[in-house]
Amino acid sequence: MNVGNLFPQALYRQALRLMSVVLPVPDAFRSFLQFPGMQGMRFGTQRSNKFPAGIGMAASVWLLFFVGGFSSSAQTADSASHEGAPKARLTVVAGTGVLGFTAGLLYLSEIWYADSQRVPFQFYRDHTGWLQMDKFAHSYVAYQQSYWGYEALRWAGVSRSKALWIGGSLGFVLQLPIELFDGMYEGYGFSWSDVAANTVGSAIFIGQEMAWGEQRMLPKFSFYPSPYASLRPGTLGRTLGAQLVQDYNAQTYWFSFSPGSFFDWDNWPPWLCLSIGYSGEGMLGEFENPDFINGESVKHIYRYRQYFISLDMDLRKIKTRHGFLKGLFHAMNMIKIPAPAMEFNTKNGLRFRPVYY
């Protein structure tokens, strides 16, 4: 089957769907857009739950660009060999990019903001919210979008310099519409600190490529359900899928790096990394914890920051001749593996975690 011949029809159908951003969408189609595991999320009700829309956009783009990144890593480690790749690849990348971006806009317009009223453009100051976990999340998503955008364009045969600036800027470009939408709906607002965090995420990718021609500092993510979601499920998530993107108590963001990439340590395994992590604990609200939930008093919970040092693996450096495993390792490298960790927090000081995730 000729993939290049499939996309004109697909793009045509998607163009019709794009019209539904500004035209009424049938309830049945809106139900279709509800992602599995997300039914417990509250859509368009308060500004503090805004970031899951960014995750929704990121997830669709990551899945669509996965094909390009998967093939890139599976075929060769020499990115220069992608020059002169078949034009059908560029069609695939462009088509999936359009589909992913359009799906994200539909999700924002028809699901996330469905119950919110349009208002004159407004701003929102949230740089102190969620102990800055929200900003780490924005940077992480923007980095991953830039990373996979670059990989997809290189797989499609685009030159390194063009792929770096076009694909590398995708994190900023794809996150910006979310902020613009926020500025137009009641209960939300355009956040300059979110835009700054998105910019940092893309800059981390572009900067490393320009300095070293590779990614030595790898932003990663880990998640483990927290006990706080049951106390305020409307904000932190009723289902595991909702908690994955709403409960910042359950998330940790990491920077993993191999010392062998910076120092002449011949005996250091190239796949073995040190990892520095950040998280927050005890957060029931964006800026402060409520005294009452559903009319009942809540015991005071102390909000505090957590800092970690742990071990990790750069799965890209694991040698295998199996193309599928190469692609799988490449894709899974965005997640931090469970490992022992030293934690320092602003409540209890230093503690050792035999296994932290």
Side-chain angles (χ1 to χ4, degrees):
M1 183 178 292
N2 188 340
V3 177
N5 291 335
L6 290 177
F7 271 90
Q9 287 186 347
L11 292 175
Y12 174 75
R13 289 195 300 269
Q14 195 60 27
L16 296 179
R17 291 184 180 183
L18 180 60
M19 295 174 63
S20 63
V21 174
V22 294
L23 298 176
V25 174
D27 291 339
F29 184 60
R30 289 185 57 190
S31 298
F32 172 76
L33 288 175
Q34 294 278 8
F35 298 146
M38 296 298 183
Q39 286 78 6
M41 296 173 65
R42 296 176 62 188
F43 296 117
T45 56
Q46 55 178 306
R47 175 57 172 80
S48 60
N49 277 349
K50 169 242 176 181
F51 182 70
I55 288 287
M57 177 80 78
S60 61
V61 173
W62 181 85
L63 288 172
L64 292 166
F65 281 158
F66 173 82
V67 176
F70 185 97
S71 301
S72 171
S73 61
Q75 290 184 23
T76 177
D78 182 10
S79 59
S81 65
H82 295 312
E83 302 289 350
K87 292 184 178 179
R89 290 188 182 183
L90 187 57
T91 303
V92 170
V93 170
T96 52
V98 170
L99 290 173
F101 186 72
T102 305
L105 292 180
L106 280 170
Y107 174 76
L108 291 174
S109 177
E110 301 303 328
I111 300 297
W112 185 256
Y113 300 103
D115 299 326
S116 300
Q117 298 294 323
R118 290 285 295 267
V119 295
F121 198 83
Q122 58 188 355
F123 294 87
Y124 186 75
R125 296 183 62 183
D126 65 342
H127 59 283
T128 61
W130 300 113
L131 298 179
Q132 286 78 49
M133 283 293 292
D134 175 63
K135 308 313 166 196
F136 278 88
H138 272 270
S139 293
Y140 171 80
V141 171
Y143 173 89
Q144 296 299 338
Q145 290 174 321
S146 293
Y147 180 92
W148 288 101
Y150 171 83
E151 288 288 332
L153 290 176
R154 292 296 290 136
W155 175 71
V158 176
S159 67
R160 182 180 181 276
S161 59
K162 289 183 178 179
L164 179 59
W165 292 106
I166 298 174
S169 64
L170 277 183
F172 173 82
V173 172
L174 295 178
Q175 292 291 319
L176 185 60
I178 300 173
E179 297 305 324
L180 296 176
F181 269 110
D182 275 352
M184 298 186 292
Y185 285 93
E186 185 179 2
Y188 296 81
F190 181 93
S191 169
W192 281 112
S193 58
D194 284 354
V195 173
N198 298 335
T199 305
V200 168
S202 291
I204 290 173
F205 174 79
I206 295 175
Q208 292 188 82
E209 288 295 326
M210 294 182 65
W212 302 311
E214 62 178 349
Q215 298 297 300
R216 297 184 181 181
M217 301 285 293
L218 304 175
K220 295 197 176 188
F221 169 84
S222 66
F223 169 85
Y224 189 84
S226 81
Y228 303 104
S230 62
L231 300 176
R232 204 178 187 193
T235 298
L236 302 181
R238 292 184 173 87
T239 67
L240 188 62
Q243 294 166 22
L244 178 66
V245 295
Q246 289 182 241
D247 187 1
Y248 291 116
N249 302 283
Q251 303 173 15
T252 306
Y253 292 92
W254 304 84
F255 276 102
S256 296
F257 61 94
S258 173
S261 298
F262 296 94
F263 306 102
D264 189 18
W265 293 358
D266 295 334
N267 295 327
W268 186 276
W271 51 266
L272 183 60
C273 295
L274 296 178
S275 194
I276 300 174
Y278 174 75
S279 186
E281 190 83 3
M283 299 175 289
L284 298 182
E286 184 174 14
F287 300 105
E288 59 184 12
N289 292 339
D291 296 323
F292 296 87
I293 297 178
N294 297 327
E296 298 183 4
S297 62
V298 180
K299 180 181 178 180
H300 176 72
I301 298 176
Y302 182 72
R303 300 160 64 100
Y304 60 95
R305 305 174 189 274
Q306 300 168 288
Y307 307 91
F308 301 93
I309 297 179
S310 181
L311 297 175
D312 192 25
M313 294 176 62
D314 186 350
L315 299 178
R316 303 172 305 170
K317 301 296 178 63
I318 297 179
K319 295 182 179 181
T320 176
R321 296 182 179 180
H322 198 292
F324 175 80
L325 288 179
K326 284 185 179 180
L328 182 63
F329 289 158
H330 200 70
M332 290 180 61
N333 212 40
M334 62 193 293
I335 300 173
K336 164 78 166 61
I337 66 169
M342 291 297 299
E343 173 190 348
F344 176 81
N345 64 64
T346 53
K347 179 182 179 181
N348 301 314
L350 192 66
R351 63 180 297 194
F352 174 70
R353 299 286 196 106
V355 178
Y356 181 85
Y357 188 63

